[in-house]
Amino acid sequence: MNGKPRILVTRRTFDEVLSDLRRDFEVEDRQHEARPLDAALLKSRLADKDGVMLAPGEVLDASMLAAAPRLKVVAVAAVGYNTVDVAACTARGVLVTHTPDVLNNTTADMAWALMLAAARRITEAERWLRAGQWQGINFGEMWGVDVHHATLGILGLGRIGRAIARRAAGFDMEVIYHSRRRVDAEIEAETRASHVGFDELLARSDFLMLILPYTPQSHHLIGAAALARMKASAILVNVARGGIVDDAALIDALRNRRIAGAGLDVYEGEPALHRGFLELDNVVLSPHLGSATAATRLAMARLAARNLRAALTGGVPPTPVNRVG
Ligand code: GLV
């Protein structure tokens, strides 16, 4: 055994990131494991580690922390860190870091991909075509709705929300947003987004994009009551987190055409999926791919590694979530 700090990288990552980390650390990796670590295994693996690089959505709770006496840093390779008990980490003096900014444009592209696919019924039409149903162009078939000149509503005008809003200029859309705190006037001007109340956002959006953090306050923010206030022609897009939407209520609204459609990248309890979604044609489903391009995943892994290294070698981690001693 050598004297280097020990770190765990919980999921397959880039070889170059691992080799770089190996210069300073004894690294336990999962390069040849297809399956994610389950909670019990993660807990046992953390027992002798000084640092861990977590993948998006991996849970690190107070009981795991208690079983990891040497742990000094939790570097989440994601912007969202809702599955990490940050309060427990702070109380124990464990630094938590994440990877903001490097994924803004990639995630905004994904939000737009889902919006356009839902509006133009791309996945439904492809299933139909693959099933051999297409008999030639029929003027009255597979009508979608226009994205251009429609009203884009954004719930949460943070870093990714702004990147989503900026793209709307090319589609001549009106952009409205709601967030707990109104953003600076320069950001509103740059994104051409007007602040409205939550109810007005629901009532006016032709496309409603959810891009806010998952917190106790945002849990089921989009449930039956909110869905009932949306236009019957509206399309909902969620690239934020499962749990912000009440999936059972959304399925009911989609089934009954209370709203027209949805594009979803995230789900309550993912990777489990509410079976009801699979029976519906008016929803486009993707498996949490918001930041999934090679370039962006590399940038995220590198940033998570920089955070780890800095935290364990007396440097200044570039993107901390909490402040510790
Ligand atoms: C992915 O969902 C992330 O939070 O980066």
Side-chain angles (χ1 to χ4, degrees):
M1 194 185 301
N2 61 33
K4 292 176 177 178
R6 291 180 205 151
I7 62 173
L8 170 68
V9 179
T10 59
R11 292 275 179 97
R12 186 175 165 76
T13 190
F14 295 84
D15 287 336
E16 65 160 86
V17 170
L18 283 179
S19 357
D20 191 47
L21 287 170
R22 285 208 167 89
R23 288 194 284 116
D24 296 311
F25 307 113
E26 192 183 318
V27 182
E28 179 176 332
D29 67 58
R30 306 265 305 164
Q31 291 305 81
H32 304 292
E33 299 285 345
R35 285 164 57 88
L37 277 176
D38 65 24
L41 202 53
L42 175 57
K43 191 170 178 172
S44 72
R45 291 288 189 262
L46 285 177
D48 63 347
K49 300 299 184 301
D50 300 280
V52 60
M53 189 194 292
L54 290 183
E58 279 179 331
V59 173
L60 196 139
D61 62 19
S63 79
M64 291 170 170
L65 205 56
R70 298 166 54 120
L71 199 67
K72 293 173 200 64
V73 55
V74 176
V76 183
V79 66
Y81 48 83
N82 54 294
T83 47
V84 173
D85 188 337
V86 178
C89 287
T90 309
R92 245 282 305 279
V94 174
L95 183 77
V96 181
T97 67
H98 67 149
T99 62
D101 289 319
V102 293
L103 43 59
N104 294 350
N105 282 311
T106 298
T107 307
D109 285 353
M110 185 69 192
W112 271 80
L114 287 170
M115 177 163 78
L116 290 165
R120 300 304 298 272
R121 303 171 61 181
I122 300 291
T123 54
E124 177 190 357
E126 183 180 352
R127 284 192 296 276
W128 185 75
L129 180 149
R130 284 177 187 267
Q133 309 265 9
W134 191 31
Q135 303 293 320
I137 296 175
N138 178 338
F139 205 65
E141 242 160 28
M142 284 287 165
W143 285 354
V145 291
D146 284 326
V147 173
H148 66 86
H149 295 94
T151 297
L152 172 62
I154 304 179
L155 191 54
L157 200 67
R159 293 170 283 235
I160 302 171
R162 291 171 211 166
I164 292 171
R166 271 184 225 114
R167 284 157 172 71
F171 284 74
D172 295 310
M173 297 179 91
E174 179 180 9
V175 184
I176 55 178
Y177 79 96
H178 177 75
S179 56
R180 275 184 304 150
R181 260 182 294 125
R182 192 169 169 170
V183 302
D184 293 344
E186 305 96 82
I187 295 172
E188 288 189 356
E190 184 234 332
T191 53
R192 298 167 50 256
S194 316
H195 186 262
V196 296
F198 181 57
D199 285 344
E200 187 175 343
L201 186 85
L202 295 174
R204 284 183 50 203
S205 297
D206 295 311
F207 297 91
L208 178 60
M209 290 274 185
L210 309 181
I211 187 68
L212 67 166
Y214 179 62
T215 61
Q217 293 70 38
S218 64
H219 177 74
H220 283 190
L221 195 56
I222 304 297
L227 290 161
R229 279 184 260 148
M230 291 172 65
K231 293 182 184 179
S233 55
I235 288 176
L236 177 75
V237 177
N238 188 5
V239 286
R241 278 291 181 270
I244 297 173
V245 176
D246 175 345
D247 282 353
L250 176 58
I251 288 165
D252 198 49
L254 289 168
R255 190 178 285 133
N256 297 310
R257 303 279 161 170
R258 185 58 210 81
I259 66 169
L264 305 175
D265 193 40
V266 290
Y267 309 88
E268 281 195 283
E270 62 184 57
L273 187 67
H274 203 302
R275 306 294 302 169
F277 283 127
L278 303 179
E279 290 154 18
L280 296 170
D281 270 332
N282 54 344
V283 59
V284 178
L285 305 168
S286 58
H288 206 144
L289 295 177
S291 60
T293 66
T296 294
R297 287 282 159 90
L298 178 60
M300 292 163 74
R302 281 183 177 155
L303 181 53
R306 277 177 63 205
N307 277 306
L308 259 181
R309 163 167 289 108
L312 293 175
T313 58
V316 180
T319 49
V321 167
N322 61 353
R323 302 230 168 275
V324 291

